[in-house]
Amino acid sequence: MDLNNLPAFIAVMRERSFTRAAAQLGVSQSTLSHTIRKMEESLGMRLLTRTTRGVSPTEAGERLLATIGPHYAAIQAELSGMQELRGQPAGTFRISAHDHPASTILWPRLSPLLPRYPDLNLEISISYGMIDIVAERYDAGVRIGERVAKDMIAVRIGPELRMVVAGSPAYFAGRGKPRAPADLPAHNCINLRLPTHGGLYAWEFARDGQAQQVQVRGQLVFNTTPQMLTATLAGHGLAYVPEDAIARHVDAGELVTVLEDWCPAIPGYHLYYPSRRQSSPAFQLVVDTLRYPHDGDVT
């Protein structure tokens, strides 16, 4: 069997899709399909079952991936490490985060690195789910506070964060303002659906040491913050969003915040990664650049 075909097999197995695997490898779907067929012919057994819904492994395919997958990942890591012996951070750094820290922290701080380190590649994947960064092959993830697994290292990358309830002047003109979280069920609230368990995000409040969560209701549900903000600006309801994300709209009089005494500051964003993760020049560069407080460019 031609061992050069193994990366194609691993990509299809992990993506469970010829389309996504072909895009990842930079080849056509027909070329990738031909490569897998050649592997199966050389082994004399089927590795993948193709259906209209996608691709699933056979027992032989599962066994082959379980055997060679870890070794292939180790080879990739070592080759990346060899590249970095050239003296410049190199390789791909993959981060999972939702859109707010990606826009306000990751991109502003990491984008200046790109022209200085041409062999450094960044992949920022937007996700609201509590994904397994190890299983999904991310180098790191971003979460609020230090709510990460015990075998992870958490590095603070941002200041304290404050979530607030906001609405447009037009909305309040017709509905009035809530005076306490208990008033929210009477309002049209814009919900955020989280992929984890498919549930709606409960709005969190605290005052005088007492915390409470409110499951709000309304006509609209989105799965990202920017769409919630657009609907709020259009007067369709109240939204629970990061304060800094709406600051310019509040200053312009386009939005008004309410229940401010129920919205204390909370720990800011943290970058987290496995404690057993081997450091490299590229990895250390990204972590040091994101570390808070941010003291400017890392040289």
Side-chain angles (χ1 to χ4, degrees), residues 160-164 204-212 240 243 259-267:
E160 287 189 328
L161 181 69
R162 190 165 180 249
M163 300 292 293
V164 296
E204 300 175 274
F205 301 96
R207 192 172 74 171
D208 300 328
Q210 298 297 316
Q212 55 179 286
Y240 185 69
E243 186 176 37
L259 304 179
E260 291 194 12
D261 55 340
W262 287 90
C263 300
I266 58 177

Side-chain angles (χ1 to χ4, degrees), residues 2 18 27 32 64 67 76 81 101 126 130 161 169 173 193 196 230 248 251 270 275 284:
D2 187 352
F18 275 92
V27 300
L32 182 57
L64 183 59
T67 302
Q76 285 183 308
I126 304 302
M130 297 295 288
L161 181 69
R193 185 175 297 283
T196 306
T230 298
R248 64 186 180 91
D251 292 341
H270 284 66
S275 57
Q284 200 58 52

